[in-house]
Amino acid sequence: MKLIKSSKLEIMPGRSINAPLPSDEAENVSPFILLHHFGPFEVNYLNKFEFEPHPHRGFEAVTILFDGEMEHKDSTGSHGKLSGGDVQWMTAGSGVLHEEKQAAGFLERGGIIHGIQLWINLPQAKKMTTPGYQDISSANIPAAMNGDITERVIAGTYKGVTGPAKTNSPMNVVHGIMPAGSETKLEIPAGFNSCLYITKGKLTVNGTEAGVSDLLLLDEAAELKAESDSEYLFLTGEPINEPVVQYGPFVMNTMGEIKQAFLDYREGKFGNIV
Ligand code: MN
């Protein structure tokens, strides 16, 4: 087991997020290539949380929202709104242009936004797949109940519960909620890479104390004890054993493919947001 302390990344003036992946200690936990934890922070007219239109190619961008309301629009014509508990699973594939921002009504009221953006690599054979978009509402995310611990299964099959997200390689994405004092054990499927990211509270993981913004790379089953009301993201997946060349918003296998992505973007081949 290895504990990685998140570095802070200022993604807009005055707004820093936790960025444990990629980092100097872990380039990726294949197929998971990026993990950004934003908030909880106050969002209002003076302090927006929004990303102007930008392109992606070669991977999937997953937003797991814990609190707040966000809105998404992209060049495939998809338009989605998500609230606390919802998940947006976007397959950029051959290329998507999108914008991500707090929902309009939410901006008027103001409130707390808190969530995760996770980038999941696509195998070479699927990097140029048709872009897709899965809008997964909280009500459609089943949970494995273990005493008073809730383990929401977003993707894969975990403790007999199958999540709604369609994935392009084998993986489990689980959001766990543990009341103070509770204990559980996380099992790692054979051959899968695995990591645990803490989004709230304080946990003891195999005897090691860890808290919000810590990422733990796991190489064996993990015994968890919640030292306070805690939440985590437990990610396991079959590694994609291919070269990863990540440059800005594109994740491909070679630098040539990255250059091609920039050319295609400049030539308008990613389309427009409508
Ligand atoms: Mn994006």
Side-chain angles (χ1 to χ4, degrees), residues 9 19-23 26-36 55-61 117-122 127 242-259 261-262:
L9 188 67
L21 199 68
S23 66
E27 209 176 309
N28 59 58
V29 182
S30 182
F32 308 103
I33 46 182
L34 176 145
L35 197 162
H36 283 174
H56 290 304
R57 173 181 281 179
F59 66 100
E60 304 191 273
Q117 170 130 156
L118 179 66
W119 288 12
I120 303 173
N121 204 4
L122 285 168
K127 282 202 174 288
E242 294 170 357
V244 178
V245 183
Q246 180 175 344
Y247 201 93
F250 306 126
V251 185
M252 304 302 290
N253 298 109
T254 68
M255 192 44 93
E257 291 165 346
I258 294 284
K259 286 182 184 154
F262 276 104

Side-chain angles (χ1 to χ4, degrees), residues 51-52 54-56 59 61 90 98-100 117 119 249:
F51 301 89
E52 294 304 321
H54 57 274
H56 290 304
F59 66 100
M90 187 191 75
H98 78 161
E99 61 175 31
E100 304 155 274
Q117 170 130 156
W119 288 12

